Amino acid sequence: MTNRRNPAPPTATLDINCDCKEYVLDYLAHSFPVQLYEPFTDSEGNLSSRPVFRDGEPVECRAAVARRDAMIEHLACLPPVPGALDQIVQRFGTDVVAEVTGRSRRIIRKGEGPAARLAVQNRAPSANLAETAAFMDDQKRILVFSDAGGTGRSYHADLGARNRRLRVHYLLEPGWKADAAIQGLGRTNRTNQAQPPLFRPIATDVKAEKRFLSTIARRLDTLGAITRGQRQTGGQGLFRPEDNLESPYARDALRQLYMLIVRGKVHGCSLGRFEQMTGLKLMDANGIKDDLPPITTFLNRLLALTIDLQAILFSAFEQLLEARVDGAIASGTYDLGLETLRAESFTVTGRQVIYTHPATGAETRLLSISERKRNQPISLDAALHELTDPRAKLLVNERSARAAVQIPATSVMLDDGEIEPRVRLLRPMEGTTLALRAMGETRWIEADRNSFSAMWSREVAQVPAYSEGTLYIVAGLLLPVWKRLPQDSTRVYRLQTDDGERIIGRRVSPAWAASAAATESVSLTANAAYAALIDGRTILDLAEGLQLRRVRVMGAYRIELTGFSDAMRERLRAYGLFSEIISWKLRFFVPVGAAGSGIIGRLVERFPIERIAEREAA
């Protein structure tokens, strides 16, 4: 007989919504296609189909209804699939897991073995405070928190807390909001901590899941660039360059993937299958379409494909993307934002002003910095440890008597769709990646353990403790001289000297620094500049790529300004220059006469003279 005053706890049946089964069953019951269709021929002789009605009501197909009911029965018999949070709590137990979420009820497991049962547990509003205290006091080893527990709380290895263990932060559900991801990551990485956490984003082997991580990576990069001027700020280095699937390198890789699909170079995915499964058209009447589907559309359509087709397309796309990113990094053109240079010592040995802004007096300085780095060669034990991979080989160079360890590297897909296997050669102070077929053209041969160890140890012994060099940084006011700086690499670096001075600027080569140091500042009055130009034997190179010279137009001499951009047009007219369209090209001229010197004065005040060149004789 049941006690009405003290009813039994709800342990026998768990009549609560713990999965999405009801939504799936409701969808099948109302959306499964069961209406009967019949074939018919229209007036033009085309065979088609149409729904069957009887007395104004649609007729259902008995076979389709049977299949629908069988599917509903099968799904109704399946056990409920608990969420990730419930699985963690039930697997490790409430004595180990501290849960800081907004749930007022949860399903827990009681007992062990065959006697284990599930029960519904009610949680008080103050449970989050108790759970947080239990984790920080080292009473519970695992912490699970959601957005509800990710604001205003700290879970880092605080020096004032008992639990100072290493936090391994698993990012289980990154979501779509970059600021929410930063909010959650910042709960375990804060000041006054014994050690920083280890972040680990979680993803399954379903390739399309990277779509979500890619969105977070892109938005974290953008947010970091906005907030602190460097891309590493938002993501804290959590994501690799390949994780951002919406970068310019990814867009180039996607276009190359489209080309390979059209040519039939992607094994397992023909053009017809791709267009049928994704609904994306790559061809039109003229061939390959000019406006191919963008990267965001491709990633969204990838979510609807089968797991096997996802793996085929994404594997090819990843190889193309990795090849482009590796190539950009190797050539020094990859934009990493603001990078930090690190060494044992930085000392400024020379300063030279190469530009002074005429209005503000701000200076652009060329700094010579002595750099001292500690060499950290790979030890012999670390080199031999690579042999744990059965594909690794010990090599020696029969010409130079050097040693190296050959280990496998990631293969890349070439532009023609061919897969190129690659290997990496580890040396005591460097590593080189090259194509496997190129190894036959080198002098590297396999060696036994003793000869390899002798050569490797001899090379390590010859490496000095420190290496010293000089680097050149252009710092201070950079925008007016940006076009004068080398354009092969636009990286911006920062460093801190031994004296505590913080320097941010562009790194330049020793040759550029030597030429800049040898060039004296150019000074010329407006009247003298006008006289030199109208004489016709002088060319003035101005800042931002502008140039003044005398030209002959329709039998008359004029002073022409070249190198201007579209954004400069209105400013140049405000200075007094006039424009004409000659041979369908816009050209700007300085009026010849009394007003000419004043206009040149205003022009060189905004765009200073960088070089005075003598015109070659005709």
Side-chain angles (χ1 to χ4, degrees), residues 358 522-536 538-543 546-551 558-562 571-578 588-612:
V522 178
S523 62
L524 198 64
T525 64
N527 292 332
Y530 178 78
L533 288 169
I534 204 65
D535 184 66
T538 303
I539 299 175
L540 299 183
D541 290 330
L542 310 184
L546 299 180
Q547 188 180 82
L548 285 171
R549 65 166 63 200
R550 192 188 73 173
V551 296
R558 296 183 182 180
I559 300 176
E560 183 178 11
L561 177 70
T562 59
R571 176 178 295 178
L572 296 178
R573 291 193 179 97
Y575 290 159
L577 284 78
F578 67 94
F588 270 92
F589 304 94
V590 176
V592 176
S597 59
I599 294 173
I600 290 180
R602 290 190 292 271
L603 188 64
V604 299
E605 182 180 359
R606 172 60 181 83
F607 305 98
I609 301 174
E610 295 182 347
R611 190 172 68 94
I612 302 176

Side-chain angles (χ1 to χ4, degrees), residues 56 77 190 227 462 473 518:
C77 294
R190 306 178 73 83
T227 55
Q462 295 173 353
I473 299 290

